Amino acid sequence: MAADYDRVRAALESLYVPGRRFLEWGSATGVITIVADLLGYDAGGIELDASLVGVARDLATRNGSGARFAVGSFIPMGWEWRPKKADARTGTIGRGPSGYLELGRSLSDFDVVYAFPWPGEEPMMLDLFRSHGHEDALLLLHTSNDGVRIHPRGSIRT
Ligand SMILES: C[S@@+](CC[C@H](N)C(=O)[O-])C[C@H]1O[C@@H](n2cnc3c(N)ncnc32)[C@H](O)[C@@H]1O
């Protein structure tokens, strides 16, 4: 399933400030990361599926985009989801070596982080962002039910 690119683009445009760093969790074919780069963000994506990262890099080159993509997991090394209330199912979120090293950045280096969770995957993403996101950073979650929601790191209670 792909995101509604127009809605995500509009949200990214409204949040743009020169110098802002953007990260896409699970960047697939790279469209959103490339859009962010073309809007002016310093943009990168992390994706577990190496073949999709190849597609994303080709797409970036063909569109004159400097977006960078890393093969790996958006889950930082050593982090485990330990929910107090819910069970610890993580839906379609896969496991693998962390992709942050390849990007040369940690999660707390990014100002705007975007993901398109499947139903039930939001609590884990919110918890991860609360634990490792920069205190002034924003998490954009795009879901088929709610459209694009902006979660300031400081407002997340899990
Ligand atoms: C629902 S798709 C979202 C694609 C894209 N972000 C969008 O908005 O259209 C989820 C993507 O996350 C990738 N993925 C799943 N678990 C991951 C993980 N732990 N780290 C990085 N990518 C992951 C999948 O391979 C898939 O490409």
Side-chain angles (χ1 to χ4, degrees):
M1 185 166 67
D4 178 340
Y5 297 135
D6 289 339
R7 291 176 90 154
V8 180
R9 185 184 199 289
L12 290 178
E13 212 164 1
S14 73
L15 297 171
Y16 178 66
V17 173
R20 268 196 160 169
R21 289 177 175 170
F22 170 90
L23 173 67
E24 182 172 6
W25 282 346
S27 45
T29 56
V31 176
I32 303 281
T33 303
I34 292 167
V35 165
D37 171 75
L38 296 176
L39 284 171
Y41 288 87
D42 174 348
I46 299 179
E47 167 58 52
L48 264 185
D49 182 332
S51 64
L52 287 175
V53 170
V55 172
R57 287 177 179 151
D58 279 354
L59 194 63
T61 304
R62 281 190 280 116
N63 285 279
S65 161
R68 295 189 305 133
F69 295 95
V71 179
S73 174
F74 62 78
I75 299 173
M77 215 163 34
W79 187 81
E80 287 287 338
W81 191 40
R82 296 201 166 87
K84 288 182 214 103
K85 298 175 207 148
D87 63 31
R89 269 179 291 183
T90 50
T92 65
I93 298 169
R95 307 293 306 203
S98 165
Y100 293 95
L101 202 60
E102 190 184 334
L103 276 189
R105 294 208 167 125
S106 63
L107 178 47
S108 60
D109 291 330
F110 293 94
D111 304 294
V112 177
V113 176
Y114 162 81
F116 186 8
W118 288 97
E121 295 175 354
E122 296 100 313
M124 178 271 198
M125 290 184 173
L126 288 164
D127 194 53
L128 169 57
F129 194 65
R130 191 183 55 80
S131 329
H132 281 273
H134 185 276
E135 58 180 1
D136 297 324
L138 304 170
L139 177 63
L140 267 64
L141 292 183
H142 181 37
T143 62
S144 27
N145 291 340
D146 293 334
V148 180
R149 284 241 172 130
I150 301 170
H151 302 269
R153 150 78 175 68
S155 75
I156 299 172
R157 306 272 173 271
T158 55

